[in-house]
Amino acid sequence: MPGFRLQRFACLIRPASVCLVAIVIAGMVRGDSDVDPSRVPDSFEAVNESGGLKLAPVTATSPTPPMPGHWWPMPVLISNSAPKAKTAIVTVRLIGHGDVTYRLVRRIESGFTARDEVWVQLPDLAGGTHVNLSIALAEVVDGVEVPLKHDSQRAVQDLRLLLSQDIVATAVLAKLAPKPAEDWQWRRDQLDHEYNLMIACRELDQQSRLVLDLERLPRDFRRWDAIDNLFIHDASGLNDPHGVAVLRRWLADGGKAWVSLDRISVPAIAPLIGDLWQATDMGTVQRNDFDFRTKLRPDMDTHPLRVQRYHPMTLRKIHQSGGEVTHWIDDWPAAVRVRVGRGEVWLTMADASAWYEPYPPNYDIAYNPPFQPNAAAIPIVSLFQQPRNRQPPPSVSPTAAAIHVGYPVASRWAVLASLATFIVGGWCVTRYWARQGVAERSLWSLPLTAVIASAPLAIASMSMRKSVPDTLAHAQFAMLQPDRDQAIVDQSSVLYFRDGGSVDRAVDGDESLRPFSDQSTQSPVVWTDMTHQRRLSIADWPTGLQSIGASLSISAGSGQAIGKLTRRGLEIRLPDGLPGPGDDAAIVLPPARVHALVRDAEADDVWVLPADADAPQQFRLASGLLNQTQQSHQETYRTLIRERDRTIFGDGETPRITPLVLAWTPPWEQPMNDGVDARITGEALCAMSMRWLPASPGDQVRLPPSTIKVESVESGWGTSLTKIMADGESHAPEEDPMTWQLRWQIPRVVLPLDLTSAQFHMDLDAPMRDVTVTMLDPDGKRKQIAKLDSPSGMVKIDVGAGDLVYHPGVGELRLEFDVSPAKHPPSNDEPDALPGNAVIGDDSAGEDDPAWQIRRPQWWLRGVVQDSGTRGDPETRSQSGLETKPADAISDDAR
């Protein structure tokens, strides 16, 4: 069982944090106990008077604060003073929050006292709320549980637990020991620098200085449940493969880790990050003077900040790939962000002293924190010091699982056949009575014909309704981890028992299971922790639908889609490790463009984003007539787009930077299936990253517009107009004239690319204005390609060979847009005004100027991939890339 040390820093505590710390400690230190469970070994000799099993008074003293909705380890001390070994059972119940029981079963040798923990899942209530627990002790005698009384002659202990306020829980994995030191002094000891950095990060957000000190990596996922972020300053803690696997799953589930790479070697973190990040270690260097640059957000200045220090800073020099470099020191990476599922790992190559500084004294307030993150670290801290993102996409919900429980209904073809039978039969009956001269008889024969035609449907539906089988239905979201050949699966499962039933199954050590999270059932639920096993038992499962939430790791094989640009567009092959052929696939292209994919007619695992696929105004599956399942898939995609789900798109400060492929498959096999005697059904939405496959020289390619990355040349952030345009979204109508630039980058996998066709599209409304579009390159070469007078609607600009400013090896297309002031007719009050003249930009314009708006600027390109030998030699390549080619070198599709 992993050990913990609760670090308390020997400094004053900010008054704003005093109340928070008091609440946490009040919830952690309640009751009376002569022995602190966190300071004794797991088992130690403590022979007392003759007797039997005794349970020490239970307190809430635990290194892990009791967080609402999370697992919490309640520490217990059990002594056995009997002459022989005994099996003890500690039972804990939450009063007033469902019929859920948590049990610990442990065998205790004679004359020993054991320290252990009973894991309790706390209700999801507001912080500061009290929760009442009842604790009972029993021993097993000849296979029967015998309740035992406590010293107070009571069979049950009561514990009143105070739930902690909403805080960010921080842990540290390091062999460090805090040392007292005077404020405002730089710590020469490297150990102190690591602690100073943690203090500064937490106090920046007015958090307490309580940090969980991990002696080694926990192997139980419940230990990680209440932890939001983790500092890793020592490599020895990463030597446990099982612990690293659980840590990796915690990261994929939204955790954040900060790794001090100046103290840890590059190979030591390979088990944690795997193939997501590769680096070559070039050794360490110490610097007193250096240039610090950061570009974590588009609005940050890339000019270096000169830093001069008295004590040297240690920097590990690396060459890296796979991560996002956010900081540089003298052109060496100083900080790298690596995304792992919903979480992320921050790798800092500069030592901790480079990321914080003394807080300047302020005598107007009662307390000043000793340290604060410096200007370079604040962008990292603002992202790192956030609660863990635990929310799976909306496709994972009991409602999504429940739609798979029930009886089959008639297909649309059966309904159409019944309707056709009625129409044909009604026509024949009506014609027959008309020939007999008694057409009025059709008034009663037509309803009879309708009953006869629909009778088979009614009989089949009634029969199916009475034969609903016992069902276990899963709604899953699987994030594939290609470097680990695993899938992190979040799921909601719904069980339907027609006549009631029961569940008794073993729970894997790395499986997170959450039954009845809403406490809506009174069915008895029992969690049992034994020495080498954990079980979930649910007796007398009620009739009807009952839900269980879970998160687990599943072996998935190759977990990465392969994409290649061809003459058809973007062809994508799904990995082999999926539980079945994918359906209704879609692709998410940065920053937030979602397109439906079309299945290849010849291969079930190949999907195509057509070259003529425009950015859809509203997401639609690439199908004609949609059935109920496809309509559900389409609505799920629309919900993801509408809510900008962070798992799929990232967020405003950390948007997705790599393509993501989504596909629907049958549900993943998992341990729950083996413990339930029912029909298994459901579906999974699988998300997998896409790896670009380079094109070969001579390949003819057509580029879907969304595959061409666009960004603002002059960085905009937040709601700036140029960033909104680059993201493909619609900006608010503007009235002022404006000039700006956008830059498009062709994917590197097809460079150098000789363009054979280039067309620019945009949806433009600019009444009473001139819009000038100019093509240019970084060297200043400019070429006007269009000047539009009061444009309205979709504008298409064909760019010829003489107008295209483009280098095939670079693959960059840059445009400048200039929207003129509104053109107003001359006023009759002005004597110099001539009929027909227009005054542009006069002083009276402004308030009544018509608004202008540009939507969806994008390129439509096709070309031929060239030999990469000329990639870096501009002199040997034509600047246009649209040279005339022999007729036999251009296919019909290229024309």
Side-chain angles (χ1 to χ4, degrees):
M1 180 182 62
F4 286 90
R5 296 193 305 274
L6 185 62
Q7 301 296 347
R8 301 163 185 264
F9 298 100
C11 301
L12 295 176
I13 297 180
R14 176 195 307 249
S17 304
V18 170
C19 294
L20 177 61
V21 176
I23 290 174
V24 173
I25 295 179
M28 296 168 58
V29 186
R30 297 190 61 88
D32 299 322
S33 176
D34 296 332
V35 183
D36 183 355
S38 64
R39 297 180 180 274
V40 297
D42 292 342
S43 181
F44 61 95
E45 188 173 4
V47 179
N48 300 323
E49 71 284 351
S50 61
L53 293 174
K54 293 291 183 182
L55 179 65
V58 177
T59 74
T61 304
S62 172
T64 304
M67 302 289 291
H70 295 81
W71 286 95
W72 176 69
M74 188 190 75
V76 293
L77 280 173
I78 313 170
S79 62
N80 179 20
S81 56
K84 62 179 182 179
K86 289 182 176 292
T87 300
I89 300 178
V90 181
T91 302
V92 181
R93 287 186 173 89
L94 277 77
I95 300 175
H97 296 283
D99 190 3
V100 184
T101 302
Y102 304 91
R103 292 157 51 96
L104 171 67
V105 180
R106 177 158 181 175
R107 186 172 178 82
I108 304 175
E109 298 298 327
S110 173
F112 279 80
T113 296
R115 180 194 72 167
D116 215 319
E117 298 164 329
V118 182
W119 284 95
V120 179
Q121 189 176 27
L122 300 175
D124 193 6
L125 303 175
T129 305
H130 285 91
V131 176
N132 296 317
L133 286 75
S134 65
I135 303 103
L137 176 65
E139 70 171 287
V140 179
V141 180
D142 297 331
V144 179
E145 293 185 25
V146 179
L148 300 177
K149 292 184 179 181
H150 301 284
D151 293 335
S152 60
Q153 300 302 312
R154 296 177 62 243
V156 176
Q157 290 190 43
D158 295 324
L159 178 65
R160 185 173 170 84
L161 185 67
L162 179 65
L163 299 182
S164 298
Q165 298 283 355
D166 249 348
I167 62 172
V168 177
T170 299
V172 57
L173 180 64
K175 291 182 177 179
L176 305 178
K179 299 180 180 180
E182 297 180 4
D183 293 342
W184 320 119
Q185 298 296 321
W186 283 101
R187 294 354 183 211
R188 295 179 180 238
D189 191 327
Q190 182 72 12
L191 302 182
D192 287 328
H193 283 311
E194 311 298 341
Y195 274 96
N196 294 343
L197 178 59
M198 287 190 294
I199 296 173
C201 291
R202 291 189 62 80
E203 291 207 340
L204 182 67
D205 292 328
Q206 298 185 352
Q207 300 286 336
S208 71
R209 298 185 187 175
L210 299 180
V211 177
L212 289 174
D213 186 7
L214 305 181
E215 294 180 353
R216 55 186 180 271
L217 285 178
R219 294 187 170 192
D220 192 328
F221 81 93
R222 294 173 295 184
R223 188 78 64 179
W224 291 103
D225 193 46
I227 298 176
D228 295 298
N229 52 42
L230 170 71
F231 286 93
I232 302 178
H233 301 313
D234 184 70
S236 62
L238 301 176
N239 294 332
D240 179 10
H242 191 175
V244 170
V246 177
L247 171 59
R248 174 60 183 262
R249 209 202 71 182
W250 171 79
L251 286 170
D253 199 27
K256 298 180 177 66
W258 186 327
V259 181
S260 297
L261 212 59
D262 62 295
R263 298 173 51 83
I264 302 176
S265 64
V266 171
I269 65 169
L272 179 61
I273 301 182
D275 297 335
L276 294 176
W277 182 74
Q278 299 86 32
T280 302
D281 192 347
M282 307 299 292
T284 60
V285 65
Q286 290 189 334
R287 298 286 178 86
N288 292 84
D289 301 335
F290 52 88
D291 290 331
F292 219 140
R293 291 187 298 122
T294 179
K295 189 65 174 176
L296 185 57
R297 298 190 325 216
D299 62 336
M300 290 183 175
D301 194 356
T302 58
H303 295 292
L305 173 66
R306 189 65 179 174
V307 178
Q308 296 180 336
R309 297 162 48 107
Y310 178 77
H311 295 292
M313 175 273 305
T314 301
L315 174 70
R316 184 178 296 279
K317 301 187 296 183
I318 65 166
H319 292 295
Q320 72 89 39
S321 63
E324 179 186 357
V325 180
T326 61
H327 295 71
W328 292 263
I329 290 181
D330 292 343
D331 296 328
W332 288 99
V336 177
R337 177 172 54 191
V338 182
R339 302 169 192 267
V340 182
R342 286 195 292 269
E344 58 190 21
V345 177
W346 287 91
L347 305 169
T348 53
M349 288 48 124
D351 70 50
S353 67
W355 302 102
Y356 76 98
E357 62 189 8
Y359 196 94
N362 186 345
Y363 300 104
D364 295 334
I365 60 176
Y367 167 73
N368 286 322
F371 309 106
Q372 66 177 3
N374 57 26
I378 285 179
I380 300 179
V381 176
S382 64
L383 300 175
F384 181 76
Q385 200 69 22
Q386 294 291 331
R388 183 156 60 100
N389 175 23
R390 301 177 177 89
Q391 295 299 324
S395 62
V396 181
S397 67
T399 303
I403 65 175
H404 299 282
V405 179
Y407 56 90
V409 298
S411 67
R412 60 166 61 100
W413 301 113
V415 175
L416 291 176
S418 177
L419 180 61
T421 301
F422 167 70
I423 294 174
V424 174
W427 180 81
C428 293
V429 169
T430 303
R431 187 173 179 83
Y432 172 77
W433 290 124
R435 287 185 175 183
Q436 298 297 324
V438 285
E440 64 275 6
R441 293 185 180 181
S442 61
L443 295 177
W444 60 263
S445 58
L446 285 178
L448 180 62
T449 304
V451 172
I452 296 174
S454 60
L457 288 179
I459 295 173
S461 298
M462 294 176 62
S463 175
M464 294 174 181
R465 186 174 183 180
K466 294 180 180 179
S467 61
V468 179
D470 293 344
T471 305
L472 171 60
H474 302 297
Q476 299 176 337
F477 175 79
M479 179 67 76
L480 277 65
Q481 309 292 309
D483 63 314
R484 281 292 181 271
D485 295 338
Q486 289 182 336
I488 306 298
V489 179
D490 290 296
Q491 70 179 23
S492 287
S493 303
V494 170
L495 262 171
Y496 170 78
F497 286 133
R498 183 173 51 187
D499 301 320
S502 61
V503 174
D504 186 7
R505 60 175 291 254
V507 180
D508 292 344
D510 60 348
E511 182 182 358
S512 168
L513 205 59
R514 301 179 295 274
F516 314 121
S517 57
D518 56 357
Q519 305 296 340
S520 61
T521 181
Q522 295 301 315
S523 179
V525 181
V526 180
W527 288 93
T528 304
D529 273 284
M530 293 172 278
T531 304
H532 299 292
Q533 193 181 48
R534 182 163 148 254
R535 300 194 69 83
L536 170 65
S537 302
I538 306 175
D540 302 326
W541 193 291
T543 301
L545 300 179
Q546 302 295 337
S547 64
I548 295 180
S551 175
L552 62 156
S553 298
I554 296 177
S555 177
S558 174
Q560 198 170 36
I562 305 298
K564 184 177 181 180
L565 289 167
T566 66
R567 68 175 60 188
R568 293 195 298 173
L570 176 59
E571 296 184 8
I572 301 171
R573 183 177 296 275
L574 301 183
D576 298 330
L578 299 179
D583 290 321
D584 297 334
I587 184 171
V588 180
L589 291 165
R593 297 177 175 89
V594 183
H595 292 270
L597 301 177
V598 180
R599 189 190 295 273
D600 193 312
E602 300 178 356
D604 287 343
D605 61 341
V606 176
W607 295 77
V608 180
L609 175 62
D612 57 354
D614 196 1
Q617 296 290 342
Q618 188 176 29
F619 183 86
R620 296 181 182 276
L621 291 177
S623 305
L625 190 61
L626 302 182
N627 57 32
Q628 183 180 8
T629 301
Q630 291 174 314
Q631 291 174 358
S632 174
H633 295 171
Q634 180 168 270
E635 183 57 32
T636 298
Y637 284 139
R638 288 176 175 172
T639 302
L640 293 175
I641 298 171
R642 181 171 60 251
E643 297 182 358
R644 281 294 186 265
D645 186 86
R646 291 192 296 172
T647 303
I648 304 298
F649 302 104
D651 52 38
E653 294 185 342
T654 58
R656 174 163 294 280
I657 58 176
T658 57
L660 190 74
V661 179
L662 303 172
W664 295 86
T665 68
W668 295 78
E669 292 291 334
Q670 46 138 346
M672 186 184 298
N673 297 351
D674 300 331
V676 176
D677 184 16
R679 179 177 67 99
I680 309 298
T681 185
E683 59 185 347
L685 176 58
C686 301
M688 64 213 82
S689 60
M690 190 191 77
R691 178 169 61 88
W692 292 93
L693 191 65
S696 302
D699 288 352
Q700 299 185 24
V701 297
R702 297 173 63 193
L703 307 182
S706 293
T707 64
I708 308 173
K709 182 181 178 181
V710 56
E711 61 183 9
S712 173
V713 175
E714 296 181 357
S715 298
W717 184 247
T719 58
S720 65
L721 182 143
T722 51
K723 181 180 185 300
I724 292 175
M725 287 184 182
D727 289 347
E729 301 176 356
S730 297
H731 65 88
E734 293 283 339
E735 296 182 357
D736 298 328
M738 183 177 178
T739 300
W740 74 95
Q741 295 180 11
L742 293 177
R743 175 176 55 224
W744 285 262
Q745 177 62 56
I746 295 175
R748 304 289 182 183
V749 292
V750 295
L751 297 182
L753 182 67
D754 227 352
L755 293 179
T756 58
S757 175
Q759 191 177 69
F760 180 73
H761 293 190
M762 60 179 169
D763 192 359
L764 175 61
D765 288 316
M768 298 175 60
R769 298 177 187 270
D770 288 334
V771 179
T772 304
V773 183
T774 304
M775 200 164 193
L776 64 160
D777 62 13
D779 297 330
K781 182 178 179 180
R782 304 171 63 89
K783 182 68 176 181
Q784 180 177 309
I785 60 174
K787 186 171 184 180
L788 310 171
D789 183 12
S790 299
S792 178
M794 180 60 67
V795 176
K796 300 181 180 180
I797 304 174
D798 289 308
V799 184
D803 298 328
L804 192 65
V805 181
Y806 167 77
H807 181 260
V810 178
E812 180 181 290
L813 300 168
R814 184 179 299 201
L815 292 181
E816 181 180 85
F817 302 83
D818 179 75
V819 179
S820 73
K823 297 181 289 186
H824 295 275
S827 172
N828 294 329
D829 297 335
E830 298 179 4
D832 296 335
L834 299 177
N837 286 355
V839 180
I840 300 178
D842 63 335
D843 295 336
S844 62
E847 295 182 359
D848 298 329
D849 288 350
W852 59 269
Q853 193 175 26
I854 293 181
R855 297 172 292 272
R856 295 187 296 164
Q858 53 192 359
W859 282 96
W860 299 74
L861 305 174
R862 68 174 67 188
V864 179
V865 180
Q866 301 299 307
D867 193 324
S868 60
T870 57
R871 179 192 301 267
D873 187 6
E875 299 299 330
T876 62
R877 304 295 304 166
S878 168
Q879 292 295 316
S880 70
L882 292 177
E883 300 85 4
T884 304
K885 297 178 176 57
D888 56 358
I890 305 177
S891 67
D892 293 337
D893 183 63
R895 293 193 183 96

